[in-house]
Amino acid sequence: MAVGWHRPTKLVIDTQAIMDNVSNEIKRMPQGTELFAVVKANGYGHGAVQTAKAARMAGATGFCVAMLDEAIELREAGIVEPILILSVVDVSYIDLLLKYDLSVTAATQEWLEKAIKQLSVIKAELPLKIHIKVDTGMGRIGFTTPIATKQAVALVQSTEGLIWEGLFTHFSTADEKDDRYFEKQNSRFKEVVAEFAELPKYVHVSNSAAALWHPDSIGNMIRFGIAMYGLNPSGNHLPEVYPLKPALSLESKLIQVKELPANEGIGYGNTYTTTETEWIGTVPIGYADGWLRHLQGFSVLVNGKKCEIVGRICMDQCMIRLPEETAVGTKVTLIGQEQGTEISMQMVADKLETIHYEVACTFSQRMPREYK
Ligand SMILES: *Cc1c(COP(=O)(O)O)cnc(C)c1O
């Protein structure tokens, strides 16, 4: 995909913010706990490799991704630390898992049996590192009972080509005030853990929310995702434990500014009409960049002042109402701070009736990412 290097619209990623979030978390983790940085989906849109490198500098000792290709991207960029693939990888790619020294999730007995067959088909010389996933109530992937988990572990331990490297689960409500369901999952996982006399190298349960609000959860590793990017996992329903520093801002520049008389239509469908003489500015960003049409009526910052997005957002451009004549080339902040006023990812998410995770992942590859 062509990246708009020659257009003034860009995502600016503050790697220091990522480092600060990681080191603030590491400071409060119990002794002996490791932090794995979750950099799936291109580092939640922030750039997987750059995020991983910043996290590593701040003390992350491993990484989590969602799919094989994301893991390979990290390896090819020179990341040598452990990488865990959190989702299911087809056994036909076990050669690649071994070649790139990746740890993989086992979520069913069938997968394990197929994996063992495949290991003999390819005459694997290296052992495959397995993290056994327990579904304690997320209902997504994993072994659903202690007995099934025990059988899986027994199979892994009795197979020469497999190493039992991890045991883990994932919470569905760690970001909520009501912790009854969290406790139900937690006690189910503890029941599973109690089945084993010996545990693997990594036992891990915590995503960002659990790490922040349930810091005494069991395990010796956390999977730190959204909070590393400086975003509150609960969407501000729960207070931050330490100040999270948002790493991403979105900037552009005015490409045209004009004064229109009253009763002029703006944009497709003519959904906005000037009511008086108005200054209208055009910004080169649109829904193809992930600046979605539903953001009509939302605001952006120009010279520290909020300016409304007027008319429909187009594929590549949108229009804003300026309080006064403003020079072409003036900076427009769509996410970030200007002169003490902030437009946060959370505000964008609220307007879109979604979560900031989705906003971050929706920014397209068309926008260049600049690192500072
Ligand atoms: C994405 C993911 C995480 C990270 O979650 P955050 O809320 O971003 O911290 C952790 N564990 C699993 C299994 C995941 O899929």
Side-chain angles (χ1 to χ4, degrees), residues 36-40 44 64-66 84 86-87 105 133 138 140-141 168-171 175 204-211 222-229 231 233 356-357:
F36 276 29
V38 182
V39 294
K40 61 195 181 191
Y44 297 37
C64 297
V65 294
L84 168 61
L86 297 166
S87 196
T105 297
K133 177 75 178 280
M138 175 74 179
R140 193 166 63 180
I141 56 169
F168 75 116
T169 193
H170 188 54
F171 295 114
D175 59 342
H204 48 109
V205 301
S206 296
N207 54 2
S208 296
I222 67 166
R223 307 184 301 268
F224 203 53
I226 197 78
M228 170 172 64
Y229 304 97
L231 301 171
H356 45 46
Y357 291 79

Side-chain angles (χ1 to χ4, degrees), residues 115 143 154 167 183 211 264 274 296 315 320 323 348:
F143 296 90
L167 180 66
E183 286 309 335
E264 288 296 321
T274 55
Q296 179 172 350
M315 189 184 292
I320 61 175
V348 177

